[in-house]
Amino acid sequence: MATKPSLLFYIYLNFNKIFSMKIFLLLISIFFISFSSISQTKSPKDFLEYELGDRFTRHHKVVEYFQHIANTNTNVKLIKYGETYEKRPLYIAVITSQNNFNKLEDIRIGHLKSAGGTEGNAALDMPIVWLSYNVHGNEASSTEAAMQMLFELANPANSQTKIWLENTVIIIDPCINPDGRDRYVNWYNQNQNSPYNINPDSKEHHEPWPGGRTNHYLFDLNRDWAWATQIETQNRLVEYNRWLPNVHVDFHEQGINAPYYFAPAAEPYHEVVSDFQREFQVTIGKNNAKYFDKNGWLYFTKEYFDLLYPSYGDTYPTFNGAIGMTYEQGGSGRAGLGVKTSDEDILTLKDRITHHFTTGLSTIEISSLNSERLKKEFASYFNKAKNTPIGTYKSYLIRHSNNKDKLKSLKKLLDRHQIKYGISNATNSLKGYSYQDNEIKTVKLSKNDLVINSNQPKSSLVKALFEPQAKLSDSITYDITAWSLPYSRGLDAYALTTKVPIKLDVNEMSEEKIIGVKKPYAYLSKWNSTDDVAFLSYLLKQKIKVRFSKAPFSIDGKDFKAGALIITRRGNEKLGEKFDQIVTEASQKFKREIAAVSSGLVTQGKDFGSRTVSYLKPPKVAILSGTGVSSLGFGEIWHFFEQQIQYPVTVIDTDYFSRVKLNKYDVLVLPNGFYSKILGKEKLSVVKEWVQNGGKLIAIDRALGVFANSKDFKLSKFKDDDEKKEKEKEEKERKERSELEAYDKLERKSVSNLITGSVFNTSMDNTHPLGFGYKKKYKTLRLNSNHYAYLKDGVNVCVIKNKSDLVSGFTGVNALKNVEKSLVFGVEKKGSGEVVYLADNPLFRSFWENGKLVFCNAIFLVGQ
Ligand SMILES: [Zn+2]
């Protein structure tokens, strides 16, 4: 008789049925979940509730959309790689096929293995295409295009993109520069007509100073990849090096009347650009052209945008093994939602988005079609870099005797780029090019010298950053032509034609110590680097009274050069016990080696009570900013004070400058800019009076112009009237000759008058406070052909004497003549005050590290 089976028995009997039912249910639910998530993937239009191109999307909303796509798709990942100065998040989205996505980490490691890494399986490698949008904030169409791009890659209805994702990984950075972009977008949204007005006169096409191109500190992030002075770059480089893409596109915009620009790039190409990199730019360009031809859109290639300066979003990736490219749409801050162009056409935001979207998609397509080739060439690029690197120099030697702060800062930069280095394991003598003396010399290696060998995965970047002179295939270039790190950082260094054996660099123990007596008469600190300045800045903010010596001295067996800080107990008595505590803390915080001495009686030089030891009055500093001032020039100074030496400054806008009472400030800084309007006759005489009463005026780069034209100041473009006449005559003749020149030769001709950023040897007077902390020789970066004669009534602290002082970079023949006997840095005494002329901008892009102390000397020491 049949009995009711127990539950267990029932399961036993029906095991197969239940099991398959479970699988069925699981499949159903997976299907349901994925179906429902796919159905939840909204287009930008559905998500934003307006069509792309109808308005500009603010950054937080772009982030929300990217999060939405990542949340509704199992093959999309968002990675937050940092935050901007204004605390906006920085993200990339990674997208590939589901199958690839499931082993994404293995693909990434396998890819890095192809790039010379040690771990992972290179067989899993797959080309990575990285699309970077909106590095220039007011070139605002590209972030909009980024949303469309991510949607179309994720959109289940788009079967085409799915095929490409089978053999490529796509990385999208929707906005490299959110602070700048929101600055533009917020302004535009507040000022546009509704509906938008295409009349170029309309306010919506006239972005106010400083515009949205740059980041918070008004730095051009597309000049910062190699120097990594900005937080956005620093964060991005970490993520970039985790992926090292095969193809990198940097999306830009240019003037409203320009047709679209894409690869291949213009000459000059840097020597390290490989044959395949050149070739594949053409392949990509042809594919882009196919779509542009089909739509009848205008475009150009091979003009204007070259591949030389290593700090761009196209060159930097190129020097890291990618096909690095710039794409330029007509538009930028002038274009708004729609604007009338010179050929009577209307350029709309929708057009701009469509073009950028098209080239992005076309780049992915052609990369996918050439997936195997890209993979092979990528591996071979890095293989060559490791085994047979290009160039004469096989290693770069940085002497251990260099200032420790400079060595530390260089290593930090090398780490950011994942450039390998070590310390010398040999003590033999070699011949090499001396960066200090600009000649071949014999150098005896020492065990602790820092060595960067060129046979390493980052070989091209090493060459581009270290070689004394980049080879120029064409003199018409978009940017500076000299930047070598040993020059910009003032390092005693050698380029060697042989490889130096190295061992692992052991980071030396930091010297956060005070050597000497307890409760000393005075603490002493050297003055050689911006870290020393940051230390001073901290002490001043803690209300510590500081003195400095204007002459070298020796005490307790230690030598101190002029500029050394002397922190006496005298003057700080009211702080009591806290005095020693604050100095000790500061020495630890800034890792300074401090000498604590029990007497003010020196063994050599002048005692601490001497007149050569001055009280360093904490200066109240104002900087001019606003219309007329170069936003980049101002930003460099602003960034320097806040991010590098943390010293308080007051920023005064040119709008109300005429109403500001200058006697509240000790120092007024005029950044690079055009001052003829800001400092009209009346205001100039106010400034002059303020200087005579003890103010210190610091003029940088083009700011010198207004003083050279004024009778009240001693600065002049010419030595005397005779030279003035002679030079004006020469100039006239040159103009007449060029009038007869064929029009198509004119551009070339004008190059002979140019300096686009070259390095010159100078003579530095390091006995003057402006030169304290320097050697007698200093290398300056000259950015234009402006010439100022030696000051007749002032101190010429730093000068270029001869045209043979050109060390590196392109300088046209006419411009070179003009360099002779020119002022670099000088001081004019006026009543109780000073004018400091810095003809070459030592803070340019914040990368000429060795110039920064000149600026600090001007702020803190000159005139004290
Ligand atoms: Zn741009």
Side-chain angles (χ1 to χ4, degrees):
M1 137 190 160
T3 55
K4 202 178 171 185
S6 74
L7 181 66
L8 219 60
F9 190 62
Y10 175 83
I11 289 174
Y12 174 70
L13 284 180
N14 295 282
F15 180 81
N16 283 340
K17 210 190 275 176
I18 291 168
F19 190 67
S20 51
M21 177 69 87
K22 270 192 171 168
I23 286 190
F24 177 68
L25 285 173
L26 194 69
L27 286 175
I28 286 278
S29 59
I30 286 173
F31 178 72
F32 181 74
I33 288 165
S34 50
F35 178 77
S36 63
S37 71
I38 284 166
S39 67
Q40 281 169 14
T41 296
K42 291 181 182 171
S43 68
K45 184 187 172 194
D46 290 341
F47 186 86
L48 301 167
E49 296 174 351
Y50 54 83
E51 221 168 282
L52 284 182
D54 278 349
R55 54 184 293 117
F56 287 105
T57 313
R58 289 199 289 158
H59 184 253
H60 72 98
K61 216 60 198 164
V62 178
V63 169
E64 279 173 25
Y65 183 64
F66 267 58
Q67 281 163 342
H68 160 75
I69 296 280
N71 291 339
T72 53
N73 289 274
T74 52
N75 63 332
V76 180
K77 181 173 159 181
L78 271 199
I79 299 171
K80 183 178 169 187
Y81 66 86
E83 280 182 356
T84 66
Y85 287 111
E86 293 173 19
K87 300 290 172 206
R88 288 186 180 82
L90 294 160
Y91 280 102
I92 53 165
V94 187
I95 178 165
T96 183
S97 72
Q98 189 64 58
N99 191 27
N100 294 336
F101 193 87
N102 295 342
K103 50 180 189 211
L104 188 62
E105 191 57 10
D106 292 336
I107 293 175
R108 187 181 72 80
I109 306 279
H111 180 73
L112 292 182
K113 172 89 176 181
S114 296
T118 48
E119 290 161 39
N121 177 3
L124 293 172
D125 181 18
M126 190 172 289
I128 296 172
V129 178
W130 182 307
L131 306 174
S132 284
Y133 293 91
N134 235 131
V135 58
H136 291 144
N138 59 0
E139 298 169 6
S141 72
S142 76
T143 289
E144 308 290 333
M147 288 189 279
Q148 191 177 354
M149 177 58 83
L150 184 61
F151 173 67
E152 287 305 336
L153 293 174
N155 179 8
N158 190 331
S159 55
Q160 181 103 68
T161 57
K162 301 301 154 308
I163 297 167
W164 302 336
L165 295 181
E166 291 297 328
N167 63 3
T168 51
V169 174
I170 313 298
I171 295 178
I172 298 177
D173 187 331
C175 191
I176 288 188
N177 175 16
D179 291 351
R181 191 176 189 277
D182 266 5
R183 190 185 317 133
Y184 170 74
V185 169
N186 286 331
W187 169 81
Y188 185 84
N189 289 345
Q190 287 162 15
N191 287 282
Q192 70 160 115
N193 278 151
S194 190
Y196 62 85
N197 188 341
I198 58 163
N199 181 349
D201 291 340
S202 173
K203 187 176 176 180
E204 65 199 78
H205 304 299
H206 295 266
E207 220 189 339
W209 194 98
R213 176 182 172 92
T214 49
N215 76 343
H216 171 79
Y217 281 112
L218 310 181
F219 271 66
D220 184 337
L221 294 179
N222 192 34
R223 303 291 185 279
D224 193 51
W225 282 76
W227 323 128
T229 69
Q230 299 302 294
I231 200 169
E232 292 88 350
T233 317
Q234 291 162 5
N235 288 325
R236 185 183 342 109
L237 287 182
V238 176
E239 201 54 40
Y240 188 89
N241 275 299
R242 287 184 68 241
W243 298 92
L244 286 178
N246 304 62
V247 176
H248 180 265
V249 186
D250 205 31
F251 288 91
H252 287 261
E253 288 189 291
Q254 46 187 340
I256 54 171
N257 299 313
Y260 202 96
Y261 164 84
F262 47 72
E267 293 287 348
Y269 282 26
H270 195 283
E271 208 186 340
V272 296
V273 180
S274 74
D275 290 344
F276 174 70
Q277 286 174 321
R278 284 173 175 260
E279 179 205 317
F280 205 72
Q281 279 200 51
V282 178
T283 309
I284 292 176
K286 280 184 179 162
N287 207 53
N288 289 341
K290 191 175 81 187
Y291 292 101
F292 274 58
D293 289 342
K294 203 191 285 177
N295 289 292
W297 299 331
L298 290 177
Y299 58 91
F300 67 100
T301 63
K302 302 185 287 288
E303 287 179 74
Y304 202 46
F305 303 101
D306 61 65
L307 290 176
L308 187 71
Y309 173 71
S311 218
Y312 290 132
D314 52 14
T315 44
Y316 183 85
T318 302
F319 301 169
N320 281 276
I323 316 299
M325 297 170 299
T326 290
Y327 289 175
E328 298 265 355
Q329 162 65 40
S332 73
R334 285 219 66 190
L337 292 180
V339 67
K340 200 166 173 187
T341 57
S342 59
D343 56 358
E344 308 278 316
D345 207 354
I346 295 166
L347 175 68
T348 64
L349 177 59
K350 285 189 182 172
D351 295 337
R352 291 152 64 200
I353 296 170
T354 307
H355 300 162
H356 268 337
F357 172 65
T358 305
T359 51
L361 219 50
S362 148
T363 304
I364 294 173
E365 176 190 40
I366 198 73
S367 302
S368 166
L369 286 171
N370 290 277
S371 171
E372 283 307 310
R373 176 93 202 275
L374 278 172
K375 218 166 94 175
K376 205 182 106 224
E377 294 286 352
F378 188 74
S380 119
Y381 176 96
F382 284 98
N383 196 24
K384 198 177 161 222
K386 265 166 78 173
N387 298 308
T388 50
I390 178 177
T392 356
Y393 297 117
K394 300 300 174 222
S395 53
Y396 300 92
L397 181 85
I398 319 290
R399 300 311 304 253
H400 181 65
S401 51
N402 280 292
N403 174 274
K404 287 187 178 60
D405 294 331
K406 286 184 177 178
L407 288 173
K408 206 171 88 190
S409 153
L410 177 71
K411 285 187 207 169
K412 199 169 168 187
L413 185 71
L414 297 176
D415 289 341
R416 289 195 198 286
H417 296 309
Q418 298 195 357
I419 289 173
K420 291 179 186 161
Y421 56 87
I423 51 174
S424 156
N425 203 13
T427 52
N428 54 317
S429 290
L430 288 169
K431 280 207 155 143
Y433 173 84
S434 158
Y435 286 87
Q436 278 202 331
D437 301 325
N438 312 114
E439 58 184 20
I440 307 290
K441 285 177 86 174
T442 302
V443 52
K444 189 172 176 349
L445 306 186
S446 113
K447 281 261 175 190
N448 285 317
D449 288 340
L450 184 71
V451 175
I452 301 112
N453 279 321
S454 69
N455 59 325
Q456 57 167 306
K458 294 296 182 102
S459 158
S460 297
L461 189 62
V462 167
K463 179 174 158 58
L465 296 182
F466 280 91
E467 66 184 345
Q469 168 83 61
K471 199 168 139 190
L472 273 168
S473 60
D474 192 317
S475 50
I476 298 181
T477 163
Y478 199 60
D479 214 296
I480 60 171
T481 51
W483 50 76
S484 179
L485 287 176
Y487 293 146
S488 67
R489 292 170 173 255
L491 294 166
D492 182 9
Y494 291 82
L496 306 171
T497 48
T498 37
K499 194 184 151 190
V500 175
I502 54 170
K503 58 184 179 189
L504 209 65
D505 180 32
V506 188
N507 268 328
E508 287 169 50
M509 294 298 284
S510 50
E511 288 139 54
E512 44 198 67
K513 57 188 173 192
I514 292 182
I515 302 165
V517 297
K518 286 236 150 56
K519 300 274 169 191
Y521 178 83
Y523 294 99
L524 312 174
S525 178
K526 293 185 175 173
W527 184 258
N528 292 313
S529 71
T530 42
D531 293 321
D532 294 326
V533 182
F535 169 73
L536 167 71
S537 160
Y538 179 84
L539 292 178
L540 297 180
K541 283 186 292 182
Q542 305 297 318
K543 305 273 184 270
I544 298 274
K545 285 190 171 172
V546 178
R547 291 156 203 274
F548 71 103
S549 176
K550 289 180 176 169
F553 63 91
S554 304
I555 189 167
D556 289 0
K558 288 192 185 70
D559 299 329
F560 290 85
K561 290 191 180 130
L565 302 179
I566 300 172
I567 310 148
T568 53
R569 191 168 297 277
R570 178 77 183 99
N572 288 303
E573 299 90 343
K574 0 183 241 269
L575 291 166
E577 295 282 310
K578 272 180 77 185
F579 170 61
D580 300 280
Q581 196 190 324
I582 294 169
V583 178
T584 307
E585 274 169 15
S587 76
Q588 285 165 355
K589 188 171 158 69
F590 296 92
K591 299 192 171 32
R592 297 300 89 186
E593 188 182 304
I594 305 286
V597 293
S598 57
S599 165
L601 187 68
V602 300
T603 41
Q604 223 165 25
K606 298 283 193 316
D607 300 326
F608 298 166
S610 155
R611 276 200 341 219
T612 57
V613 174
S614 290
Y615 168 58
L616 198 158
K617 184 185 168 206
K620 289 194 195 81
V621 183
I623 318 171
L624 264 195
S625 144
T627 312
V629 176
S630 150
S631 60
L632 299 168
F634 161 68
E636 287 151 7
I637 298 166
W638 182 22
H639 177 260
F640 184 73
F641 274 106
E642 289 187 359
Q643 296 295 324
Q644 294 179 63
I645 60 168
Q646 292 91 38
Y647 191 77
V649 287
T650 301
V651 176
I652 296 172
D653 202 281
T654 50
D655 267 3
Y656 59 84
F657 175 55
S658 58
R659 301 196 298 274
V660 170
K661 288 199 168 57
L662 282 178
N663 58 11
K664 288 196 281 185
Y665 305 96
D666 304 304
V667 179
L668 174 65
V669 186
L670 307 182
N672 185 21
F674 297 94
Y675 286 86
S676 49
K677 276 191 193 149
I678 305 163
L679 291 174
K681 223 173 171 185
E682 211 175 297
K683 190 67 189 174
L684 197 62
S685 78
V686 173
V687 168
K688 184 183 135 196
E689 205 185 306
W690 167 77
V691 173
Q692 277 168 331
N693 291 331
K696 182 163 58 182
L697 187 68
I698 302 173
I700 302 175
D701 200 346
R702 290 190 166 89
L704 271 66
V706 73
F707 303 101
N709 296 330
S710 158
K711 286 196 170 57
D712 292 331
F713 296 84
K714 300 285 193 282
L715 186 71
S716 171
K717 293 191 171 177
F718 311 101
K719 192 174 78 187
D720 47 35
D721 285 349
D722 287 348
E723 192 186 83
K724 187 176 179 195
K725 274 182 205 146
E726 196 187 315
K727 288 212 167 160
E728 280 171 350
K729 197 178 144 215
E730 271 176 31
E731 182 60 29
K732 201 177 151 219
E733 283 169 3
R734 196 161 53 227
K735 274 196 179 139
E736 279 165 6
R737 276 199 306 272
S738 69
E739 276 163 17
L740 298 170
E741 201 71 50
Y743 180 68
D744 67 345
K745 298 278 186 314
L746 270 182
E747 188 184 20
R748 301 255 150 213
K749 196 79 188 170
S750 69
V751 165
S752 57
N753 300 322
L754 274 188
I755 298 179
T756 53
S758 304
V759 179
F760 287 87
N761 269 322
T762 69
S763 307
M764 179 78 96
D765 177 0
N766 60 5
T767 64
H768 187 277
L770 191 59
F772 283 177
Y774 284 91
K775 295 182 177 152
K776 292 271 178 206
K777 284 187 193 167
Y778 167 78
K779 285 186 168 57
T780 193
L781 179 69
R782 181 141 284 199
L783 296 160
N784 56 53
S785 50
N786 288 343
H787 167 97
Y788 296 102
Y790 294 169
L791 290 169
K792 270 191 281 185
D793 218 347
V795 190
N796 296 291
V797 180
C798 182
V799 295
I800 302 175
K801 290 179 178 166
N802 302 305
K803 53 186 179 187
S804 61
D805 285 326
L806 173 64
V807 173
S808 177
F810 173 79
T811 298
V813 260
N814 295 332
L816 192 57
K817 274 189 236 156
N818 219 15
V819 160
E820 276 197 319
K821 292 189 181 149
S822 64
L823 180 73
V824 180
F825 307 131
V827 180
E828 177 185 340
K829 184 93 185 132
K830 205 166 210 31
S832 333
E834 293 82 20
V835 186
V836 181
Y837 299 113
L838 306 179
D840 291 348
N841 176 4
L843 299 184
F844 177 70
R845 293 181 191 166
S846 194
F847 95 103
W848 204 258
E849 293 291 340
N850 199 32
K852 289 175 180 175
L853 194 62
V854 170
F855 181 73
C856 297
N857 287 340
I859 297 284
F860 292 102
L861 306 188
V862 170
Q864 295 260 22

